[in-house]
């Protein structure tokens, strides 16, 4: 090893496609700079596989700066790796020691079928969003939006919820594969704002019902919060549950059954 680099042994999940049998393959990652990101380390491993005429490892990434939520990897059994409040793309190799063995797997959940190797489909999360994660009121351009007064507390809380990057780590970390933290963040960042009130009750019921079609039930383990790169608060789940109960009553009243 050169003074400034580390050598690692990787156990990487390889799987040709959905429903196929997968297995771990071992790769040596030699001469890695501690300043490289985890994804850059995988890029280096892939370049070496390609130059050896082997098939590179499929994994997802886009922004590589913690905002898009695509870089979904289980690293040594932890969603997004060992550091709290970071997505995989924000993890650097200085978090590992020379000679470490690192196990890299896809996010595992029944609703996340493996597409190939480390890439999974998170389509049911999109269905939750489609069920109500939008507003219909016209907010105009930024200066118009600034004319709508929002209480500071509501604005801060909505911003905290909107920090969710939709990565799915909360679901992968949960022993029940529950999607409460993701859904709560997406419901509440709109429910807290004046612009989100028009569809508040329909949104809440539709998004929670869609969530329950695809994901498990929350039993308050809190692993979702521990794995979340945006450190979304568990309080949002309580707020969502409160709104869901209210929505059941209010939506029935709107339908003339109240
Ligand atoms: S709540 Fe956190 S872990 Fe779950 S999708 Fe959003 S950012 Fe990812
Ligand atoms: S690549 Fe966008 S959050 Fe990691």
């Amino acid at each position: 090893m050169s003074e400034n680099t580390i050598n690692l042994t990787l156990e990487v999940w390889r799987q040709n496609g959905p429903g196929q049998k997968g297995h771990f393959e071992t790769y040596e990652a030699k001469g890695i700079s501690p300043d490289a990101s985890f994804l850059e380390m995988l890029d280096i491993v892939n370049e070496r596989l390609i130059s050896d005429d082997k098939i590179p490892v499929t994994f997802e990434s886009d922004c590589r700066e913690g905002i898009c939520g695509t870089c979904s990897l289980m690293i040594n059994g932890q969603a997004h790796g060992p550091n709290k409040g970071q997505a995989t793309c924000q993890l650097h190799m200085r978090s590992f020691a020379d000679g470490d063995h690192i196990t890299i797997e896809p996010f595992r959940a029944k609703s996340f079928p493996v597409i190939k190797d480390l890439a999974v489909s998170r389509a049911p999360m999109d269905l939750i969003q489609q069920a109500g994660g939008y507003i219909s009121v016209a907010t105009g351009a930024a200066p118009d939006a600034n004319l709508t007064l929002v209480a500071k507390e509501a604005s801060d809380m909505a911003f905290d919820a909107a920090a969710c990057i939709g990565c799915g780590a909360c679901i992968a970390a949960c022993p029940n594969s529950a999607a409460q933290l993701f859904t709560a963040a997406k419901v509440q960042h709109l429910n807290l704002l004046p612009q989100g009130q028009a569809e508040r009750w329909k949104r809440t019921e539709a998004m929670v019902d869609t969530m329950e079609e695809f994901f498990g039930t929350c039993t308050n383990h809190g692993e979702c919060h521990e794995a979340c790169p945006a450190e979304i608060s568990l309080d949002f789940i309580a707020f969502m549950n409160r709104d869901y109960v209210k929505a059941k009553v209010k939506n029935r009243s709107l339908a003339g059954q109240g």
Side-chain angles (χ1 to χ4, degrees):
M1 181 191 85
S2 114
E3 203 181 330
N4 296 318
T5 61
I6 56 175
N7 297 329
L8 304 153
T9 304
L10 310 181
E11 301 290 339
V12 182
W13 185 258
R14 305 298 311 255
Q15 184 172 331
N16 278 337
Q20 298 210 22
K21 204 162 182 269
H23 63 281
F24 283 103
E25 279 188 17
T26 306
Y27 302 108
E28 299 301 325
K30 292 201 161 98
I32 302 296
S33 164
D35 295 328
S37 73
F38 198 85
L39 297 183
E40 285 166 343
M41 180 276 293
L42 285 179
D43 289 339
I44 293 167
V45 169
N46 271 347
E47 278 166 18
R48 291 175 187 168
L49 286 172
I50 291 166
S51 66
D52 289 346
D53 265 348
K54 293 189 174 144
I55 298 173
V57 178
T58 299
F59 62 93
E60 282 191 278
S61 74
D62 188 0
C63 71
R64 298 202 173 196
E65 55 183 344
I67 54 175
C68 74
T70 57
C71 55
S72 47
L73 297 181
M74 289 301 268
I75 300 165
N76 287 341
Q78 289 180 284
H80 292 304
N83 297 347
K84 201 161 159 46
Q86 279 189 344
T88 298
C89 59
Q90 298 168 301
L91 174 65
H92 284 79
M93 299 315 295
R94 66 182 79 95
S95 296
F96 299 90
D98 183 44
D100 272 0
H101 284 239
I102 306 175
T103 303
I104 310 171
E105 299 169 78
F107 276 2
R108 297 200 189 273
K110 198 173 167 197
S111 294
F112 288 170
V114 170
I115 297 169
K116 187 167 167 50
D117 297 335
L118 304 173
V120 300
S121 166
R122 285 165 287 177
M125 295 174 74
D126 295 336
L127 296 178
I128 294 172
Q129 276 286 88
Q130 285 169 17
Y134 52 82
I135 57 169
S136 61
V137 294
T139 54
D144 306 310
N146 287 339
L147 293 176
T148 307
L149 296 180
V150 182
K152 172 89 170 76
E153 200 178 47
S155 160
D156 287 349
M157 282 184 72
F159 193 81
D160 287 348
C164 167
I165 59 173
C167 62
C170 45
I171 297 158
C174 175
N176 306 327
S177 298
Q180 256 78 3
L181 195 65
F182 162 73
T183 310
K186 296 301 178 193
V187 165
Q188 288 304 322
H189 92 266
L190 297 174
N191 282 10
L192 284 159
L193 295 174
Q195 295 91 333
Q197 296 311 304
E199 289 104 358
R200 178 173 181 170
W201 310 114
K202 281 193 176 156
R203 167 188 308 116
T204 307
E205 188 171 1
M207 290 179 77
V208 172
D209 287 351
T210 307
M211 171 191 81
E212 286 181 343
E213 264 183 60
F214 294 97
F215 296 101
T217 303
C218 175
T219 46
N220 297 321
H221 285 263
E223 290 296 325
C224 50
H225 172 73
E226 293 304 313
C228 176
E231 301 186 88
I232 300 292
S233 167
L234 293 172
D235 289 349
F236 287 113
I237 298 178
F239 296 146
M240 177 181 74
N241 289 342
R242 177 202 61 187
D243 273 11
Y244 184 69
V245 172
K246 282 191 185 172
K248 282 288 182 194
V249 175
K250 287 183 186 279
N251 291 341
R252 202 169 297 159
S253 300
L254 289 174
Q257 297 170 37

